[in-house]
């Protein structure tokens, strides 16, 4: 039986990116995934955008630091984002701008005329907006493969169909056992189990931190007139929807946050109907067909900040969880930072401007 320095449980974007970063330090790394292939759960279901404000001011340092890596790697295609509101949302628009003051994001308010130019067909009651020009689409598949490829070149061993059902520690070594009865040993185990993070923590004898999976639905619409490819990502300032063009179609979400057990999430008809109803209140485009619909889980710690670094109580247990709705767009800086926390390395050009303390797992101690 091989013994590894690190065994990472979960091969979504979190586990894959961290495996790549840890292997680059010379450590031996095992990456374990319950499903047939990595990326089956949240990572494969995202809306695929990088948006400077998404997740709130606490997340901005991770998003901004990741932007350069993503841009230089060719994973981003610039789109721009509009947060829109009605006249009654004036206060919300002002508050949004104030919340992000001094964070380093680039945003500006637009009036109705400027808004119309960016979003043809907009219904008359939408009069206010915040424009965020840097927002971009992320090629999530390419990014996930980039990390899996980097991990492979770093000799990371990836094992799929390895649902870990037992984790025990003796004499400074963990033994992990899968549902199929396979076992592995490692000095450190890392919880990158997404929606199952609390469940896995309990397996390893740790206290759950209260990570809550929330279901989010996306529908793909065919609309008339056909949507222009360069339209911005459009988000409701009140958090009721977002939509963006995707290969001649519209990807639309009602911005739902339905608490869920960790599971293979599926869309509910009510969320689909709500999404379309809200969309039709924004633009006069005709919805011709719902071509696809899907749902995924976004998993949040109680304070909505991610959870990185050492467990406060259980020796040899690391966390890389609570990636919420920003796990793809923050992955480069997040994985580098988490690897530095777990190996004791100091910050580098990717992480030097990031204060890790808001994200440490030890805050739950
Ligand atoms: C609809 C939707 C839209 C989103 N849009 C965006 C976006 O535009 N931009 C963005 O940055 N983020 C977005 N997100 C969030 C992003 O997808 C997540 O933050 C990210 O994918 C989380 O990655 P993860 O690796 O933590 O989780 P996952 O991808 O779910 O991976 C966790 C893995 O752990 C495995 N696992 C669990 N338990 C075990 C076990 N016991 N043994 C072995 N393996 C186990 C699971 O099988 C799973 O594959 C969106 C999410 C959703 C649902």
């Amino acid at each position: 039986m091989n013994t590894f320095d690190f065994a990472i449980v979960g091969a979504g974007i979190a586990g894959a990116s961290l495996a790549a970063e840890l292997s680059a330090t010379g450590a031996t790394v095992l990456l374990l995934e319950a499903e047939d292939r990595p990326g089956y759960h949240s990572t494969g279901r995202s809306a695929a955008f990088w948006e400077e404000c998404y997740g709130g001011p606490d997340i901005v340092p991770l998003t901004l630091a990741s932007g350069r890596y993503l841009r230089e790697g060719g994973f981003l295609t610039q789109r721009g984002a509009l947060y829109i509101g009605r006249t009654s949302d004036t206060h919300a628009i002002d508050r949004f701008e104030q919340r992000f003051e001094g964070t380093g994001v680039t945003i500006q308010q637009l009036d109705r005329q400027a808004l119309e130019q960016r979003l043809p067909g907009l219904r008359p009651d939408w009069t206010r907006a915040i424009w965020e020009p840097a927002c971009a689409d992320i090629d999530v598949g390419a990014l996930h493969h980039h990390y899996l490829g980097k991990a492979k070149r770093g000799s990371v061993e990836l094992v799929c169909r390895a649902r870990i059902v037992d984790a025990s520690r003796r004499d400074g070594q963990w033994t992990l056992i899968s549902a199929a009865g396979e076992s592995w040993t490692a000095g450190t185990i890392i919880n990158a189990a997404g929606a199952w993070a609390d469940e896995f923590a309990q397996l390893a004898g740790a206290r759950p931190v209260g990570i809550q999976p929330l279901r989010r639905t996306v529908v793909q619409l065919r609309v008339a007139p056909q949507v222009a490819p360069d339209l911005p990502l459009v988000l409701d300032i009140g958090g009721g929807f977002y939509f963006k063009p995707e290969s001649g179609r519209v990807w639309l979400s009602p911005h739902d946050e339905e608490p869920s057990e960790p599971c293979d999430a599926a869309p509910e008809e009510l969320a689909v109907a709500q999404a379309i109803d809200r969309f039709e209140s924004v633009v006069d485009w005709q919805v011709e067909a719902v071509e696809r619909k899907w749902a995924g889980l976004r998993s949040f710690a109680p304070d909505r900040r991610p959870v990185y670094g050492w467990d406060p109580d259980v020796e040899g247990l690391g966390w890389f969880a609570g990636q919420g709705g920003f796990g793809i767009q923050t992955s480069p800086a997040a994985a580098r930072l988490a690897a530095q926390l777990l190996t004791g390395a100091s910050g580098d050009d990717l992480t030097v401007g990031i204060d890790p303390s808001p994200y440490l797992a030890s805050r739950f101690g």
Side-chain angles (χ1 to χ4, degrees), residues 9-15 32-35 39-43 45-49 138 162-164 192-196 200 216 218 242 294 296-298 323-330:
V9 175
I13 194 74
L32 297 163
E33 170 53 50
E35 303 293 348
Y40 176 76
H41 289 289
S42 304
T43 298
R45 305 176 191 207
S46 89
F49 55 77
I138 310 174
R163 180 174 301 283
I164 300 305
W196 291 263
F200 178 70
R216 165 77 35 109
V218 183
Y242 63 70
W294 68 93
L297 299 176
R298 300 152 79 248
Q323 309 279 352
F326 42 79
I328 315 284
Q329 66 173 37
T330 57

Side-chain angles (χ1 to χ4, degrees), residues 4 28 159 199 249 273:
F4 296 85
T28 55
V159 185
E199 236 178 66
R249 303 296 191 251

Side-chain angles (χ1 to χ4, degrees), residues 45 47 54 212-219 236 238-242 252-260 265-276 278 293-300 304 324-325:
R45 305 176 191 207
Y54 210 71
Q212 174 66 60
L214 301 174
R215 192 176 60 237
R216 165 77 35 109
T217 309
V218 183
V219 293
D236 177 19
F241 58 81
Y242 63 70
L252 163 71
S253 172
H255 219 256
D256 45 340
E257 294 205 327
E258 197 56 37
S260 167
E268 303 246 319
E269 280 313 315
L270 182 62
V272 172
Q274 261 171 354
I276 294 171
R278 291 173 190 175
K293 51 192 170 185
W294 68 93
L297 299 176
R298 300 152 79 248
S299 297
F300 290 92
R304 292 203 158 222

